[in-house]
């Protein structure tokens, strides 16, 4: 059976959590996983655990920190260069893995930090057995068209709406 493409999207909490869950499931089955995180500082709590699981490799951009919306124009240009290079590295290494998770890659595409066409071309020609997960809000119709699974997390209520900031171990 060929590997399939999953998209976890929506405005609700749980996209990364679902991707981490699939990563753990695949690792438990002895599969090799590359978990690459975009648009995040690399300090998310799940990365600490994933780095200690056999068969899981983690990549994140070490030169970019903070939220995109808070970056200066120069920082955004640097983020684009660094994340684009990271994406190239991740995609070139993908043939060594059974599962590739591209956490928040959709957001990186939407902000123009990476070129969606590069991702799209890869997905069209990915290694046949490679399972791929994309997460983020508002995937394009092009990406949705390639996906075999699309799971949308919909926010109905969230403490953030009442001014509660992200909490360690729950949201990050």
């Amino acid at each position: 059976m060929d590997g399939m493409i999953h998209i976890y999207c929506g405005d609700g909490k749980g996209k990364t959590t679902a991707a981490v869950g699939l990563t753990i499931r695949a690792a438990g089955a002895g599969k090799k996983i590359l978990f690459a995180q975009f648009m995040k500082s690399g300090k998310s709590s799940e990365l600490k655990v994933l780095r200690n699981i056999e068969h899981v490799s983690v990549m994140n951009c070490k030169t970019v920190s903070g939220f995109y919306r808070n970056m200066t124009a120069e920082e955004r240009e640097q983020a684009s260069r660094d994340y684009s290079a990271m994406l190239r590295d991740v995609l070139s290494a993908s043939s060594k893995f059974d599962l590739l998770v591209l956490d928040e890659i959709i957001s990186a595409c939407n902000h123009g930090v990476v070129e969606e066409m590069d991702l799209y071309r890869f997905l069209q020609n990915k290694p046949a057995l490679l399972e791929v997960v994309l997460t983020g809000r508002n995937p394009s119709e092009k990406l949705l068209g390639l996906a075999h699974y699309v799971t949308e997390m919909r926010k109905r209520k969230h403490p953030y709406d009442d001014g509660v900031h992200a909490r360690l171990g729950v949201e990050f």
Side-chain angles (χ1 to χ4, degrees):
M1 168 84 44
D2 282 352
M4 297 190 186
I5 300 169
H6 307 238
I7 292 179
Y8 301 142
C9 61
D11 64 354
K13 179 182 177 324
K15 298 175 287 292
T16 297
T17 303
V20 169
L22 183 57
T23 298
I24 291 168
R25 178 177 285 158
K31 296 188 180 289
K32 291 180 64 179
I33 301 98
L34 177 54
F35 191 100
Q37 197 168 63
F38 295 80
M39 306 302 287
K40 293 182 178 177
S41 69
K43 297 176 184 171
S44 297
S45 298
E46 65 270 7
L47 296 184
K48 292 177 188 176
V49 173
L50 291 178
R51 285 187 176 105
N52 291 312
I53 298 175
E54 187 178 8
H55 305 299
V56 177
S57 298
V58 174
M59 288 183 74
N60 65 289
C61 192
K62 310 238 187 315
T63 60
V64 179
S65 62
F67 290 108
Y68 186 80
R69 67 178 174 258
N70 296 334
M71 291 180 186
T72 65
E74 294 80 24
E75 289 171 329
R76 288 180 178 187
E77 289 174 15
Q78 186 66 50
S80 182
R81 285 190 297 275
D82 294 348
Y83 278 123
S84 293
M86 183 178 127
L87 180 61
R88 284 190 299 276
D89 292 344
V90 166
L91 298 183
S92 68
S94 67
S95 63
K96 301 173 189 156
F97 295 91
D98 302 302
L99 172 63
L100 172 62
V101 175
L102 300 171
D103 186 39
E104 290 297 340
I105 191 67
I106 295 169
S107 298
C109 291
N110 290 343
H111 287 297
V113 172
V114 299
E115 288 295 326
E116 184 174 298
M117 279 309 296
D118 293 341
L119 175 62
Y120 183 80
R121 281 190 291 273
F122 168 78
L123 293 171
Q124 284 182 307
N125 301 297
K126 70 174 188 60
L129 300 178
L130 182 66
E131 201 85 11
V132 181
V133 174
L134 316 174
T135 74
R137 295 174 184 231
N138 305 314
S140 70
E141 290 301 319
K142 285 183 107 149
L143 294 178
L144 289 169
L146 290 177
H148 301 92
Y149 297 87
V150 177
T151 302
E152 184 173 357
M153 281 60 166
R154 185 174 66 139
K155 180 185 75 155
R156 297 191 55 148
K157 186 176 183 179
H158 195 293
Y160 182 80
D161 298 334
D162 295 325
V164 177
H165 295 284
R167 298 168 298 144
L168 179 66
V170 178
E171 283 88 19
F172 70 99

